[in-house]
Amino acid sequence: MEAAPLRATPRPIPSVTGALRAIEAVLLRSGQRTARRNAWTSVLEDRRRAKDRYDAEYVLEAAATRRPHAT
C-alpha cells in the first residue's frame, strides 16, 4: 500500500488580526468599521504627540539646568 503524497506548501494559518477583521466585517457595517479605524488612528496620533511633547520637555529641562561654559 502506497502512502499519500505530502503537500509541498501547507495552507497558512490565518492570523489573529485577519480573523478579527473577518468577524468585524460580519458584525459591523462599513461605516462603523471606518469610524472605529479612524478612532484608533486618532489614538495612535495622540500617543505620538504626547511622546513628542515629553521628549521636547526633557530637552528643554536639560538645557535649562546645564551650566554655562567658563570663558
Side-chain angles (χ1 to χ4, degrees):
M1 182 171 185
E2 214 171 297
L6 295 175
R7 263 201 253 178
T9 56
R11 263 188 225 164
I13 298 172
S15 67
V16 173
T17 303
L20 290 176
R21 285 193 189 267
I23 292 169
E24 178 186 51
V26 170
L27 297 177
L28 302 176
R29 289 185 232 153
S30 64
Q32 289 172 321
R33 271 197 314 258
T34 301
R36 184 172 295 214
R37 286 189 187 129
N38 288 344
W40 182 244
T41 300
S42 294
V43 167
L44 296 177
E45 184 65 22
D46 288 346
R47 289 178 181 176
R48 187 194 60 78
R49 281 196 301 265
K51 182 182 179 309
D52 290 346
R53 277 194 307 273
Y54 175 82
D55 292 345
E57 184 179 335
Y58 178 81
V59 169
L60 290 172
E61 184 69 27
T65 57
R66 197 175 83 188
R67 287 194 231 168
H69 292 292
T71 54

